[in-house]
Amino acid sequence: MAKTAVKVGKLIDGNGGPVIDRGVVVIDGKRIAAVGSQSEVTIPPDATIIDEPGLTAMPGMMDLHLHIAQFNTLTFRNYRVAQFEVSPELQQLYALFHAQLCFERGFTTLRDEGLMSTRGLLTEHTIAVRDAIALGVFAGPRIIVSAFTVGTGSHLDLILPRAMLRNPAATADGVDEMRKLARQNLLRGADWLKTCASGGGGTDKESPQVRNHTQDELNAVCDEAHAQHAYCSIHCFTPQSQAMAIEAGADTIEHMVFHSDEMIEAIVSHGIPVCPTLLHRTDHAIEVRRTIGTPQFTLDKMKKIQPFTFETFAAMQKAGVKIFMGTDMGQEPDMGSNAMELEIYVKLGMTPMEAILTTTRNAAEAVHLDEDLGTLDVGKYADLLLVDGNPAEDITVLQPRENIKAVMKEGKIYVDRRKGSEKDVIDVEYASWALADG
Ligand SMILES: [Zn+2]
């Protein structure tokens, strides 16, 4: 097995402690063999040395709520046109491309939170992308697939136009059908199931407090996931829906948006991690949405819920909710710019180091991958980044693509933008591609 020693000016190990000056990570094959200060760690004589005293090493980042098969603004112009003009097969190829856009910006693990196309669920399409990358056929991030397991007319069904003829196999109603759809998704190879307990920002004209499923249906989805050692994530906007998700045994709560003190207390006491997806709520996101055919009522609603979302985040942070990073990236702002989410967390009260933890250690814990991922510790996979700047001082240094100097996954360097190197996973000139619905 090839050994590599990565020597850096600063080392952030993802455990939240002080930044280590003049650090080193020793990698043996796919995993970390030693880590710490250069004065304390012995570098094996047969190791290849990477010496970058001007750079910071940190664990690969994770975006654990996004939709890679969604019509991204980088590859589509109008999502409503794209819904009808793009086949699921083309969407699948874009899913790979979108995953790579995140990967080359430092995101080594993604949890895809599912999608539906005009022809039905995209579960198998996303799973094939996940597997092609895992098999090493394509370069890209590790993908966790969370498959839509939802009822007719639920928030996630309404991502498609109301008047559209639907594939009846894409949704389920009643406990038995819900169990069957859950089992089918798990049979196809889903790692997680994704369901919804309330309406959302883009689909309901009035209050998002719409009961999407009965308690029995939600319980059935979570129960099927757990029966097969998989997990269940539940979209919730309102305290009523949060209560239903807790009762069902949700493994993660997505969005939150509105809160009550009572629900925050319950989430803390149950230890359920929450993914806030704030980038999706910014003025920038609203403007991007405006350009891609989003109805005015949705834009108005996004603006209206924005302050509640930010208040809820601050309240969760104060109460000690386990927060992990997700962007809801799909339609907006731009696939690959995911690290902008962390800047919002800092603006709302986290320290830069706390924000880093949401996308490293705490993220890995939220999806039960912390034995292998999330920190630079001995025995874990060598998923690491070399960054120009110190994100523990300035979280925004993680945003520009030119600052992400190297991306390593399981000990292999996939992106290398250091002096004299020009290695990337995307082999077309950036933004030279045509729009699929152009
Ligand atoms: Zn989402």
Side-chain angles (χ1 to χ4, degrees):
M1 278 302 218
K3 287 183 193 138
T4 310
V6 182
K7 295 162 75 178
V8 285
K10 295 192 184 310
L11 175 70
I12 295 170
D13 66 9
N15 282 305
V19 176
I20 299 164
D21 283 319
R22 301 190 66 247
V24 60
V25 185
V26 178
I27 298 147
D28 189 351
K30 293 181 172 191
R31 294 185 185 261
I32 296 169
V35 62
S37 154
Q38 289 174 30
S39 59
E40 285 161 12
V41 172
T42 312
I43 296 174
D46 56 341
T48 306
I49 309 276
I50 293 175
D51 194 4
E52 293 293 344
L55 300 181
T56 302
M58 66 174 280
M61 294 187 282
M62 304 186 190
D63 183 340
L64 297 183
H65 185 131
L66 82 177
H67 304 276
I68 57 173
Q70 179 77 291
F71 306 108
N72 188 277
T73 50
L74 288 174
T75 46
F76 298 90
R77 185 169 55 193
N78 181 308
Y79 79 95
R80 291 202 278 191
V81 175
Q83 272 175 324
F84 290 100
E85 292 206 347
V86 178
S87 67
E89 291 77 10
L90 183 54
Q91 261 179 283
Q92 177 180 31
L93 294 173
Y94 274 105
L96 171 62
F97 181 56
H98 294 156
Q100 289 179 330
L101 283 166
C102 300
F103 188 54
E104 60 124 34
R105 302 275 289 267
F107 288 84
T108 50
T109 303
L110 306 176
R111 184 179 61 166
D112 183 83
E113 280 289 282
L115 206 62
M116 230 180 244
S117 79
T118 50
R119 309 226 194 115
L121 293 177
L122 289 169
T123 306
E124 283 140 313
H125 301 73
T126 318
I127 284 171
V129 170
R130 176 197 71 189
D131 292 351
I133 292 171
L135 290 165
V137 178
F138 292 105
R142 183 180 297 100
I143 297 172
I144 302 160
V145 175
S146 194
F148 273 15
T149 311
V150 302
T152 304
S154 64
H155 166 64
L156 297 173
D157 187 18
L158 288 172
I159 285 173
L160 296 173
R162 274 180 192 273
M164 206 194 83
L165 188 64
R166 283 158 162 77
N167 179 345
T171 54
D173 298 288
V175 168
D176 288 349
E177 276 191 23
M178 210 52 94
R179 286 193 187 276
K180 181 152 192 177
L181 182 54
R183 289 173 187 180
Q184 280 170 341
N185 278 326
L186 294 163
L187 170 69
R188 290 170 186 140
D191 306 292
W192 282 64
L193 300 176
K194 162 77 176 297
T195 189
C196 45
S198 75
T203 56
D204 308 289
K205 292 204 178 189
E206 302 302 330
S207 163
Q209 181 39 44
V210 178
R211 195 198 67 192
N212 274 226
H213 296 101
T214 64
Q215 186 68 53
D216 286 343
E217 287 174 325
L218 286 183
N219 295 354
V221 176
C222 287
D223 181 54
E224 288 300 329
H226 296 156
Q228 299 199 33
H229 307 288
Y231 303 99
C232 184
S233 58
I234 305 190
H235 160 114
C236 297
F237 263 43
T238 59
Q240 292 94 325
S241 62
Q242 292 147 20
M244 290 180 84
I246 294 170
E247 165 83 27
D251 296 289
T252 59
I253 287 177
E254 309 301 312
H255 315 303
M256 277 295 280
V257 179
F258 299 99
H259 74 276
S260 66
D261 293 343
E262 190 197 346
M263 271 311 119
I264 286 191
E265 227 169 85
I267 287 166
V268 171
S269 73
H270 284 82
I272 304 173
V274 176
C275 188
T277 68
L278 301 184
L279 185 51
H280 181 57
R281 315 274 176 222
T282 58
D283 288 342
H284 176 53
I286 293 170
E287 285 318 305
V288 171
R289 276 280 183 108
R290 197 186 301 282
T291 64
I292 57 164
T294 303
Q296 189 60 40
F297 83 83
T298 301
L299 302 176
D300 293 344
K301 192 165 165 194
M302 283 173 79
K303 188 66 190 166
K304 214 161 116 187
I305 66 173
Q306 189 189 69
F308 295 101
T309 312
F310 294 162
E311 265 168 42
T312 295
F313 179 88
M316 289 198 295
Q317 151 82 351
K318 208 170 137 202
V321 172
K322 294 180 185 173
I323 294 171
F324 66 103
M325 190 273 212
T327 55
D328 218 353
M329 192 81 78
Q331 291 169 357
E332 86 296 326
D334 287 324
M335 200 62 84
S337 66
N338 314 49
M340 286 166 65
E341 177 85 15
L342 301 173
E343 183 186 355
I344 306 171
Y345 296 172
V346 172
K347 279 189 179 149
L348 292 172
M350 278 190 177
T351 64
M353 188 59 92
E354 285 168 339
I356 290 169
L357 292 180
T358 68
T359 190
T360 57
R361 184 192 66 190
N362 299 357
E365 284 174 2
V367 289
H368 308 276
L369 293 176
D370 50 308
E371 229 175 81
D372 286 321
L373 299 171
T375 61
L376 301 180
D377 281 317
V378 173
K380 291 200 185 186
Y381 281 131
D383 278 22
L384 70 88
L385 314 178
L386 296 182
V387 179
D388 193 1
N390 179 1
E393 268 169 18
D394 177 4
I395 198 73
T396 65
V397 302
L398 293 170
Q399 293 172 23
R401 62 203 302 280
E402 64 271 18
N403 280 4
I404 308 299
K405 294 295 183 196
V407 179
M408 180 187 275
K409 190 185 78 175
E410 295 184 19
K412 186 176 164 190
I413 296 176
Y414 287 89
V415 174
D416 195 348
R417 303 190 181 110
R418 293 176 303 139
K419 243 191 207 89
S421 314
E422 217 180 289
K423 186 178 160 75
D424 213 328
V425 292
I426 291 173
D427 63 0
V428 292
E429 196 189 322
Y430 195 79
S432 67
W433 50 85
L435 301 179
D437 60 341

